[in-house]
Amino acid sequence: MKVVILKDAAAVAKYGANIFIKQISRKPDSVLGLATGSTPVALYKELIDAYKSGQVSFKKVSSFNLDEYLGLNPTHPQSYRYFMNQQLFDHIDIDKASTFVPPGDAEDPFTACALYETAIKQKGGIDIQLLGIGRNGHIGFNEPSSSLMSRTRIKTLTRATIDDNARFFGPDEYQPHLSITMGIGTILESKKVVLLATGENKAEAIKATVEGPLTAACPASALQLHEQVVLVIDEAAASLLSDVELYKHIEIENQKLLERLGRA
Ligand code: PGA
């Protein structure tokens, strides 16, 4: 697992955005896996800036979001479709018809889950998947105890996640307890994975992800099985790792090698 430890959240966003910009430069019709939550917002701002300065175009890009609340329609301000429009899609040249978010208002959500998997396959699979991480180690809405081979399905949110996300909902506003989420098996099939984490409240989940056993108790630990995963985290999120200096040393050596090969 590649672990890149940077000073702060701003550096994490920049580093993460650069990975996506390079990916799109190499493959203009890349299929991106995207995430919601507070952490990716700064990365999306970097992507918008890069688009506005002519550094990148999303014209041929398509995207699949990880998850959506079940029971919210796409125009609901707390829906993840609305979030993605606001935070990214409305500000870049992506064709909205090529952006996919699980349908929270599907009449038959079970069929919708199967169709989401099919749609990903029809696009040739996800080239690069962006992830945040919950304090409980969830990725997407794959809460602890999720099957490590799971596919897109309906998941009940844990109390911890409902409480963490309550800040986005008004006191009298309906907050869903169910979601549609890509499975851990779906995520593991993407060709590359970039997980971002910032802040001390993520330190335990990051330690369990990188150094803990492979366990459904920390769904993100399943990433240990992935061939190409990079964790981009700040000092605070890295603070419980057993050997921060080792990860920093590995990254410095990696960078030196890439520079020598002209691939930095
Ligand atoms: P956050 O959420 O970025 O708002 O902390 C991450 C997640 O729950 O995946």
Side-chain angles (χ1 to χ4, degrees):
M1 217 177 230
K2 186 173 169 189
V3 182
V4 178
I5 302 168
L6 301 169
K7 193 165 143 272
D8 53 24
V12 165
K14 220 175 234 329
Y15 192 104
N18 271 333
I19 297 176
F20 278 78
I21 292 165
K22 274 192 191 155
Q23 166 72 34
I24 298 165
S25 309
R26 259 197 317 270
K27 186 177 179 226
D29 62 346
S30 286
V31 180
L32 310 183
L34 298 177
T36 52
S38 313
T39 316
V41 170
L43 180 147
Y44 294 151
K45 282 210 179 85
E46 294 285 341
L47 292 183
I48 293 166
D49 288 348
Y51 160 68
K52 287 190 171 153
S53 66
Q55 216 188 325
V56 65
S57 166
F58 296 83
K59 261 205 168 82
K60 296 184 179 160
V61 162
S62 46
S63 71
F64 288 89
N65 262 77
L66 282 167
D67 47 15
E68 178 60 285
Y69 288 115
L70 189 58
L72 298 191
N73 68 50
T75 55
H76 191 291
Q78 305 310 337
S79 75
Y80 286 168
R81 159 56 74 181
Y82 188 91
F83 174 101
M84 288 309 301
N85 288 348
Q86 294 271 309
Q87 300 295 337
L88 183 64
F89 300 150
D90 284 347
H91 312 284
I92 57 176
D93 61 345
I94 199 163
D95 177 3
K96 283 240 184 87
S98 300
T99 67
F100 301 88
V101 179
D105 59 348
E107 235 167 74
D108 177 352
F110 292 103
T111 304
C113 292
L115 290 176
Y116 203 65
E117 289 279 333
T118 307
I120 293 172
K121 284 203 177 76
Q122 279 170 348
K123 286 278 181 189
I126 291 169
D127 290 306
I128 184 165
Q129 175 68 56
L130 178 65
L131 296 176
I133 184 169
R135 282 188 305 132
N136 61 6
H138 74 204
I139 45 177
F141 273 138
N142 294 286
E143 300 282 35
S145 86
S146 287
S147 158
L148 299 183
M149 298 298 277
S150 49
R151 313 300 309 190
T152 302
R153 70 209 182 293
I154 296 166
K155 276 300 279 182
T156 305
L157 307 184
T158 58
R159 194 72 248 169
T161 298
I162 292 167
D163 291 347
D164 276 352
N165 289 356
R167 67 188 194 277
F168 299 112
F169 292 82
D172 298 320
E173 204 172 5
Y174 165 67
Q175 186 184 354
H177 291 188
L178 295 176
S179 65
I180 297 183
T181 181
M182 277 186 205
I184 298 173
T186 322
I187 292 168
L188 290 178
E189 265 173 26
S190 56
K191 292 170 192 103
K192 286 178 218 151
V193 174
V194 179
L195 184 146
L196 306 186
T198 59
E200 219 175 308
N201 64 340
K202 299 292 172 69
E204 235 168 77
I206 288 299
K207 181 174 177 58
T209 300
V210 181
E211 296 173 346
L214 177 64
T215 168
C218 175
S221 67
L223 298 174
Q224 292 171 17
L225 294 172
H226 197 280
E227 220 184 338
Q228 275 204 65
V229 54
V230 54
L231 270 65
V232 188
I233 61 180
D234 68 357
E235 299 270 1
S239 58
L240 292 180
L241 290 174
S242 62
D243 196 347
V244 168
E245 290 316 311
L246 171 67
Y247 302 117
K248 287 187 175 172
H249 169 72
I250 293 170
E251 176 58 7
I252 290 168
E253 291 300 319
N254 275 341
Q255 285 306 327
K256 274 194 214 157
L257 177 64
L258 290 176
E259 268 161 38
R260 190 148 56 77
L261 298 174
R263 293 196 208 159

